[in-house]
Amino acid sequence: MGLEIAYGNITQEQANRLEQAVGPAPDGVPHEPGGAEPWISRLVADFVIATGARTVLETGCFKGATSSYILDALERLGGGDLHVCEIELGRLAGTVWRLANDSSLVSVHPHEGDVLHYLATTEDRFDLAWVDDNHEKPHVTKELSLLIPRMNPGGIILGHDVYGSCDLQEVFAKFGGYSLNLPRLGAAGGMGLIQIPHPASLAVF
Ligand SMILES: C[S@@+](CC[C@H](N)C(=O)[O-])C[C@H]1O[C@@H](n2cnc3c(N)ncnc32)[C@H](O)[C@@H]1O
């Protein structure tokens, strides 16, 4: 019973304590290995609420765990748009199905295929982005360079797996960002943050 730890930086007891503190996912679906740690999903959702984001992008939705937290946060804010980009069609379809049961206040926009192609061709703009697909350094570097021009002023980019085996701190730093080393279940974890400059002191979307 409890979260599966594989090369993580915490004990089973610590993981259970954190999981208990977070509580169940908004849609009640248990955590699945490969998905973001529940406390990370919660943190992403809290950033959505803290910024009043209306349009959010998740790159690499996998089984839709963090997507369900984001959807719940947008719903609490009165509605919005959630774009999910995923290279595996089955995962994208499963996520859309999972989210469809949850809300009518939030429009879900699925994008199938490579996120680099999506970002290079879309005219969509985002208040917040959760970057969690391919974590190789050249890919993330290209991804951030395409994503930053698609962000609204004051918008926030959050990225997973910046510490541990993926080691993306220098990539986030290159774009003016910062990396947090946080408890993780797998070989990589933590969160990168980049805020897009805003002419006014605060951006509330
Ligand atoms: C670590 S999982 C994502 C976990 C999820 N974001 C969460 O918070 O639970 C990574 C996902 O990215 C997808 N992916 C990998 N490369 C991709 C790419 N180039 N474009 C879009 N999705 C990609 C994978 O198929 C996989 O489902």
Side-chain angles (χ1 to χ4, degrees):
M1 197 58 189
L3 296 171
E4 194 174 298
I5 303 172
Y7 307 106
N9 62 355
I10 51 174
T11 64
Q12 186 69 57
E13 191 186 348
Q14 289 168 323
N16 293 346
R17 199 167 130 257
L18 295 183
E19 184 184 32
Q20 197 172 10
V22 174
D27 59 4
V29 176
H31 181 268
E32 290 195 52
E37 301 86 351
W39 47 91
I40 296 292
S41 299
R42 165 70 79 85
L43 200 46
V44 173
D46 284 345
F47 266 103
V48 172
I49 290 178
T51 58
R54 293 182 184 277
T55 305
V56 177
L57 167 68
E58 179 179 18
T59 72
C61 56
F62 189 51
K63 302 279 179 82
T66 305
S67 325
S68 79
Y69 278 85
I70 297 170
L71 185 114
D72 180 65
L74 286 171
E75 194 170 29
R76 286 167 189 268
L77 287 165
D81 293 274
L82 171 55
H83 294 261
V84 285
C85 181
E86 169 60 58
I87 204 164
E88 298 261 349
L89 178 57
R91 292 176 179 174
L92 185 67
T95 297
V96 169
W97 183 85
R98 178 171 177 174
L99 300 180
N101 297 330
D102 279 329
S103 169
S104 56
L105 291 175
V106 179
S107 301
V108 177
H109 309 271
H111 305 281
E112 183 206 344
D114 185 354
V115 66
L116 297 184
H117 174 74
Y118 168 60
L119 289 174
T121 53
T122 187
E123 297 200 352
D124 296 331
R125 300 190 70 86
F126 315 105
D127 301 324
L128 187 142
W130 172 229
V131 175
D132 193 17
D133 55 286
N134 178 337
H135 296 103
E136 291 167 20
K137 285 181 188 174
H139 175 91
V140 179
T141 303
K142 178 76 179 166
E143 183 169 17
L144 292 177
S145 70
L146 290 169
L147 176 57
I148 286 171
R150 306 305 323 151
M151 298 298 296
N152 288 322
I156 290 183
I157 297 173
L158 306 171
H160 202 197
D161 293 349
V162 291
Y163 271 90
S165 58
C166 298
D167 194 27
L168 294 169
Q169 302 125 66
E170 68 191 50
V171 176
F172 274 76
K174 186 175 163 184
F175 291 94
Y178 187 79
S179 293
L180 301 172
N181 191 5
L182 299 169
R184 61 178 182 261
L185 296 171
M191 186 182 279
L193 301 103
I194 299 169
Q195 185 163 32
I196 308 305
H198 192 278
S201 57
L202 263 186
V204 178
F205 302 104

